């Protein structure tokens, strides 16, 4: 049976988009008569504009929520106090939409005169993560009880003269970074970073201009306003670096502040970060006017920098365009005295998950993978934070598994945003596919077939399964149905290969795109069938089932080559075999052969698919061999103590970016070694089935949607213990290994529940479920459980 007529699906997609936009519009606050305001001209690109509004307030209201929208970013002060650092999200939620923020002003207001100051940075170019409106703008509305403050001609405006719009940066390609370098000339400043700054309350703005009115809320070119999809950045404030060094003839030597460059040449100060982070660099110096200081990083792929030109005297500066690296470099000209150097670390939420074990290698590897995930998250999940910052949905698919073991709710919200953005911008792809990113490719197909298929199973379905967010699933489902319908079945019972705009599946050697995509398509079909069941779209289930069955019947006939899975006559590689196991298409009778002859010795995959090879080995139950491959592949990076994130490629000579999204060993370690996984939607139930292999100690914290799950496992010759803390409204299945030995007894919270292969009295909330040749399984309610097994 074929899929339904795609015209019907196209219509449902249009209705879905209309409903999405309308729903967001209905939820909007009342913007009253607030107007988009800006200077008379639309831009220009890379412009920084300062706004001020002074007003009298008789009483501070019980609630003072402000709503702000800009294209593109803003910084907010009230009465000289910083309220928000880098507000706004790269535009937009869907075509012809713009995000707005909701900010509580109450803590900053006072009776009498108040001043709101806003610095807006307009990027003015469309790239992979930003859909430029074509006009800079600010929209503001605040209900202060008996008083309404809204953006209009009564505000004050001045293009900030110290920011150079010709600062460059970000590269020339549409795939490159959206933001620009910051170049700030303090000789033209307005008291920035001082108590006389333009954003302070008593600043004289009498010579500033009145803004030009550009249109009411929800008007074009900005479009319908949609509430910010994720929390504001976790702003950790200005912090000292771990160390400060300068280069000598033979090495780098530590320095202390204050430090004055008394040489006749520029000195580079190397300011070390604890690990690779998204930061904005800060400096405080004493100098004569006209000296140029450049803040950069050691990252060779970093495309942004901050340039500061000094004024006379003591002064401070923070470059507001975030950069990343392991070391921040400051070029200090002769005669400049450095009084202070700091950095501000911002990011999406917090990394609340954790993994540790008695093998320092894997503890460090998980930590490096955690850092890699977090640095590749901002306005959206991205491929890398330096070269591109692009929303490639295959990279997001690689990140997804790790998200649920690593990040708090903000990370889950960012994943939802990535799904919603991808679905909303699908109309920009000429084939109505599931294309990566948005903005730059509207009207041109950018379908990467393997990534589109990954997105269905690993992003959308896994997001729903881990969160229970049916609304997001429902919004995505029509586009998924439509995309799978684009794939046609051949007479041999397998899907016809789709090339997309590039026949790319992986950066590694000897790729085999056709069977690789057959596996991805099969996994996507199974995920879509599960979606149809969850959404009660019963009419679609047979369509999926027929294709699933057809692939199962015919896959081996076409791609089993006696020693591995792949195309006959092509070089042996491990990706197709890995996917065959992960998808369930591989014959289990071949597992031992596949591990020993393919998955261990053949190492051609890039990190994009490397984790699949590791997961495939784990699925065969050969956990020591899975850890062995993981160690072999990442060893040079883990052993490099100067590196805290994971590279784009395994090539030591050309490793690519030092922090690329598709490294996900933390998912494999958490899911298979700590052995914690959801077994029902939204973690209503989960299993604790550790597979320690050669390890003797593992501790894992999983920040699930129900709350943190904490598991600690210890293993010795005659004792095995699991200590579990599970959140409310969850049920856990705890697996106690038999380990080839007879179990003498099992104690739970100090009470004996098992003795000499016989169950004894059970505890309330903890009961025997079943057993097999390898494990005894117990069900436990939420709470704290200590399960200690003794062996004879």
């Amino acid at each position: 049976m074929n899929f339904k007529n795609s015209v019907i699906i196209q219509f449902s997609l249009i209705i879905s988009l209309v409903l999405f936009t309308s729903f967001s519009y209905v939820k909007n606050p009342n913007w009253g008569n607030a107007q988009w305001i800006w200077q008379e001209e639309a831009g220009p690109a890379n412009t920084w504009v300062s706004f001020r509004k002074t007003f009298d307030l008789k009483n501070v209201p019980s609630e003072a929520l402000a709503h702000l929208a800009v294209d593109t970013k803003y910084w907010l002060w009230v009465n000289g106090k910083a309220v928000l650092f880098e507000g706004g999200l790269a535009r937009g939620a869907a075509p012809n939409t713009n995000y707005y923020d909701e900010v509580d002003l109450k803590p900053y207001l006072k009776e009498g005169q108040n001043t709101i100051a806003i610095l807006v940075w307009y990027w003015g170019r469309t790239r992979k993560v930003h859909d430029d409106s074509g006009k800079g703008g600010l929209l503001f509305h605040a209900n202060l009880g008996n008083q309404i403050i809204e953006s209009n001609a009564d505000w004050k405006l001045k293009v900030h003269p110290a920011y150079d719009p010709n600062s460059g940066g970000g590269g020339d390609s549409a795939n490159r970074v959206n933001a620009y370098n910051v170049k700030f000339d303090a000789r033209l400043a307005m008291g920035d970073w001082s108590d006389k700054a333009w954003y302070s309350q008593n600043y004289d703005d009498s010579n500033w201009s009145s803004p030009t009115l550009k249109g009411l809320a929800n008007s074009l070119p900005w479009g319908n306003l949609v509430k910010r999809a994720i929390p504001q950045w976790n702003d950790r404030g200005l912090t000292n670096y771990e160390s400060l060094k300068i280069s000598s003839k033979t090495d780098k030597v530590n320095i202390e502040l204050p430090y004055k460059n008394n040489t006749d040449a520029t000195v580079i100060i190397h300011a070390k970060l604890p690990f690779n982070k998204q930061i904005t660099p800060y400096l405080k110096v004493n100098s004569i006017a006209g000296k140029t200081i450049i803040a950069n990083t050691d990252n060779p792929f970093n495309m942004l920098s901050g340039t500061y030109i000094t004024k006379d005297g003591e002064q401070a500066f923070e470059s507001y365009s975030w950069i990343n690296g392991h070391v921040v470099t400051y070029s200090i000209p002769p005669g400049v005295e450095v009084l202070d150097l700091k950095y501000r670390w911002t990011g999406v939420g917090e990394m609340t998950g954790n993994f540790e074990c008695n093998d320092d290698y894997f503890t460090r590897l998980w930590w490096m993978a955690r850092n890699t995930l977090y640095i590749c998250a901002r306005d959206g999940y991205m491929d890398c934070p330096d070269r591109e910052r692009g929303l490639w949905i295959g990279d997001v698919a690689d990140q997804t598994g790790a998200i649920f073991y690593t990040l708090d709710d903000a990370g889950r919200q960012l994943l939802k945003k990535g799904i919603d953005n991808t679905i909303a911008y699908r109309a920009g792809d000429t084939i109505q596919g599931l294309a990566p990113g948005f903005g730059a490719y509207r009207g041109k197909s950018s379908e990467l077939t393997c990534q589109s298929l990954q997105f269905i199973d690993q992003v959308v379905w896994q997001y729903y399964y881990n969160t229970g967010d049916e609304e997001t699933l429902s919004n995505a489902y029509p586009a998924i149905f439509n995309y799978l319908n684009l794939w046609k079945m051949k007479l041999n019972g397998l899907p016809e290969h789709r090339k997309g705009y590039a026949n790319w599946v992986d950066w590694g050697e000897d790729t085999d795109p056709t069977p690789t995509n057959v596996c991805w398509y099969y996994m996507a079909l199974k995920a879509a069938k599960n979606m149809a069941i969850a959404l009660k779209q019963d009419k679609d289930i047979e369509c999926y089932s027929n294709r699933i069955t057809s692939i199962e019947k015919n896959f081996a006939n076409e791609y089993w080559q006696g020693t591995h899975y792949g195309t006959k006559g092509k070089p042996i590689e491990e990706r197709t075999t890995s996917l065959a196991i992960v998808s369930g298409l591989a014959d289990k009778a071949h597992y031992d052969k596949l591990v020993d002859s393919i998955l261990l010795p053949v190492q051609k995959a890039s990190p994009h698919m490397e984790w699949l090879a590791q997961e495939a080995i784990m699925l065969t139950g050969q956990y020591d061999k899975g850890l062995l491959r993981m160690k072999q592949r990442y060893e040079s990076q883990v052993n490099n103590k100067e590196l805290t994130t994971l590279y784009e490629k395994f090539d030591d000579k050309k490793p690519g970016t030092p922090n690329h999204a598709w490294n996900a060993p933390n998912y494999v370690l958490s899911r298979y070694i700590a052995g914690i996984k959801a077994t029902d939607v939204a973690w209503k139930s989960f299993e604790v089935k550790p597979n320690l292999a050669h390890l003797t100690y593992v501790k894992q914290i999983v920040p699930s949607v129900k709350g943190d799950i904490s598991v600690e496992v210890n293993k010795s010759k005659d004792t095995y213990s699991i200590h579990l803390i599970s959140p409310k409204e969850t049920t856990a299945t705890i697996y106690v290994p038999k380990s080839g030995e007879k179990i003498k007894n099992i104690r739970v919270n100090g009470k004996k529940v098992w003795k000499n292969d016989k169950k004894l009295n059970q505890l309330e909330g903890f009961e025997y479920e079943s057993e097999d040749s390898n494990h005894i399984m117990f069900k436990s309610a939420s709470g704290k459980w200590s399960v200690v097994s003794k062996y004879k």
Side-chain angles (χ1 to χ4, degrees), residues 494-699:
L494 299 174
E496 182 178 311
H497 182 65
R498 286 181 60 82
K499 181 179 178 181
Y501 91 95
N503 200 32
W504 182 91
V505 296
D506 185 51
W507 285 127
E509 304 172 65
D510 297 332
T511 59
D512 198 356
T514 301
T516 296
N517 275 358
V518 170
C519 293
W520 283 129
Y521 186 68
Y522 174 73
M523 293 167 71
L525 286 170
K526 291 202 297 183
K529 180 178 177 180
N530 286 331
M531 295 176 198
I533 293 170
L535 297 172
K536 297 181 174 56
Q537 297 294 316
D538 298 340
K539 60 187 181 303
D540 299 338
I541 294 173
E542 185 181 0
C543 303
Y544 298 127
S545 295
N546 288 341
R547 290 194 174 187
I548 289 169
T549 301
S550 178
I551 294 171
E552 289 172 343
K553 287 181 177 179
N554 296 289
F555 180 77
N557 292 336
E558 185 74 19
Y559 294 117
W560 175 242
Q561 305 304 333
T563 58
H564 65 284
Y565 291 95
T567 301
K568 186 176 182 180
K570 286 203 119 187
I572 294 175
E573 51 83 37
E574 75 272 32
R575 284 160 291 242
T576 304
T577 294
S578 300
L579 281 164
I581 293 173
V582 171
S583 67
L585 285 170
D587 188 338
K588 291 182 179 181
H590 301 321
Y591 275 3
D592 288 346
K593 179 190 295 186
L594 293 175
V595 170
D596 292 336
S597 64
I598 304 297
L599 296 182
L600 266 181
V602 181
Q603 300 183 353
K604 296 181 178 181
S606 81
H608 173 46
M609 289 196 181
E610 170 59 29
W611 65 276
L612 285 165
Q614 296 165 17
E615 181 171 24
I617 298 174
M618 299 295 182
L619 284 169
T620 70
Q622 302 181 67
Y623 303 103
D624 263 319
K625 292 179 181 179
L627 291 179
L628 176 61
R629 175 163 179 137
M630 188 181 291
K631 192 163 189 175
Q632 291 173 342
R633 295 295 262 160
Y634 288 100
E635 192 162 24
S636 64
Q637 298 179 60
V638 174
N639 290 342
N640 181 356
K641 300 307 178 185
E642 299 301 313
L643 188 63
T644 64
T645 46
L646 298 174
Y647 277 117
E648 179 181 10
K649 299 177 183 178
F650 289 120
D651 186 344
D652 288 337
K653 294 181 180 179
K654 295 181 179 180
T657 60
N659 34 238
H660 211 86
W662 51 41
N663 284 284
N666 52 354
Y667 159 72
V668 177
L669 288 168
S670 299
R671 164 66 183 82
Y672 293 100
I673 300 303
I676 307 171
K677 74 165 186 177
T679 53
D680 197 359
V681 174
W683 288 81
K684 290 190 289 288
S685 66
F686 62 94
E687 71 176 27
V688 180
K689 189 180 181 181
N691 302 289
L692 269 58
H694 70 276
L695 303 174
T696 59
Y697 164 77
V698 166
K699 184 175 182 180

Side-chain angles (χ1 to χ4, degrees), residues 445-457:
S445 175
S446 58
E447 177 198 15
L448 285 172
T449 53
C450 64
Q451 293 204 3
S452 298
L453 294 171
Q454 269 189 282
F455 175 77
I456 294 169
D457 175 37

Side-chain angles (χ1 to χ4, degrees), residues 42 157 212 324 551 758:
L157 169 152
T212 300
N324 76 281
I551 294 171
K758 293 181 180 180

Side-chain angles (χ1 to χ4, degrees), residues 88-104:
L89 285 175
R91 188 178 178 271
N96 298 318
T97 67
N98 206 104
Y99 287 110
Y100 73 87
D101 290 346
E102 184 175 86
V103 184
D104 183 9

